[in-house]
Amino acid sequence: MSDYFNDLVRAACEARLRSYSPYSRFRVGAALLGRSGKVYTGTNVENASFGLSICAERAAVFRAVAEGEREFEAIAVCADGLVPTPPCGACRQVLLEFGPDMVLLMAGDKGPDGTVKRYTVSELVPEAFSTFAPGAGEGTR
Ligand code: THU
């Protein structure tokens, strides 16, 4: 893997250490690489009202968009444990919005020194819903 991707995985693992996850005790960090070259990190932030919790990946995307970036090259996700954790379905759908070709790296807490899996977002969302799907926008809207 390129040095750049290794650095992105490392940034995700560092972000993981800032996770607020007292309920699940499962820390996740994400590092999102924008077209500009800037990296936006995110962590999961939980809440006593569990359903209000947000995943690390979406936290990173929302932060980046709020800062004016909308096109991304890659995202690295780093979770507690040895086994790389795949992003949940909600995060996959949100990532898809900003680039089906985005590279997605998954790592465990050993970061680039452990197993890192590499996909594109579209590989992880087959038959994805998109407003650009044929027929979208027809009918009552
Ligand atoms: N979590 C993430 O941050 N990203 C994922 O893709 C999967 C799950 C978080 C949400 C929750 O805070 C904890 O992991 C346990 O589900």
Side-chain angles (χ1 to χ4, degrees):
M1 215 171 42
S2 73
D3 282 353
Y4 211 93
F5 281 168
N6 280 339
D7 287 348
L8 202 63
V9 169
R10 266 188 217 101
C13 290
E14 276 174 29
R16 171 182 131 261
L17 303 177
R18 297 189 289 275
S19 161
Y20 177 74
S21 43
Y23 304 103
S24 72
R25 302 213 166 273
F26 186 66
R27 297 175 301 176
V28 186
L32 179 63
L33 173 64
R35 277 269 152 82
S36 69
K38 200 170 162 190
V39 173
Y40 304 86
T41 58
T43 66
N44 53 331
V45 179
E46 298 184 346
N47 191 273
S49 176
F50 298 163
L52 302 183
S53 304
I54 183 97
C55 295
E57 299 90 320
R58 274 176 292 155
V61 169
F62 298 160
R63 178 183 192 173
V65 172
E67 291 192 26
E69 186 120 27
R70 293 183 178 180
E71 290 180 55
F72 306 104
E73 303 282 351
I75 184 166
V77 184
C78 174
D80 281 339
L82 276 181
V83 181
T85 298
C88 78
C91 289
R92 294 178 195 205
Q93 183 73 28
V94 167
L95 290 168
L96 193 74
E97 184 82 15
F98 295 100
D101 298 327
M102 199 189 313
V103 171
L104 200 154
L105 305 162
M106 302 172 200
D109 57 16
K110 289 208 170 349
D113 300 326
T115 305
V116 178
K117 292 185 176 177
R118 178 179 171 162
Y119 297 93
T120 63
V121 168
S122 58
E123 280 175 323
L124 295 181
V125 194
E127 298 282 355
F129 173 77
S130 157
T131 42
F132 303 109
E138 290 172 11
T140 56
R141 281 184 290 155

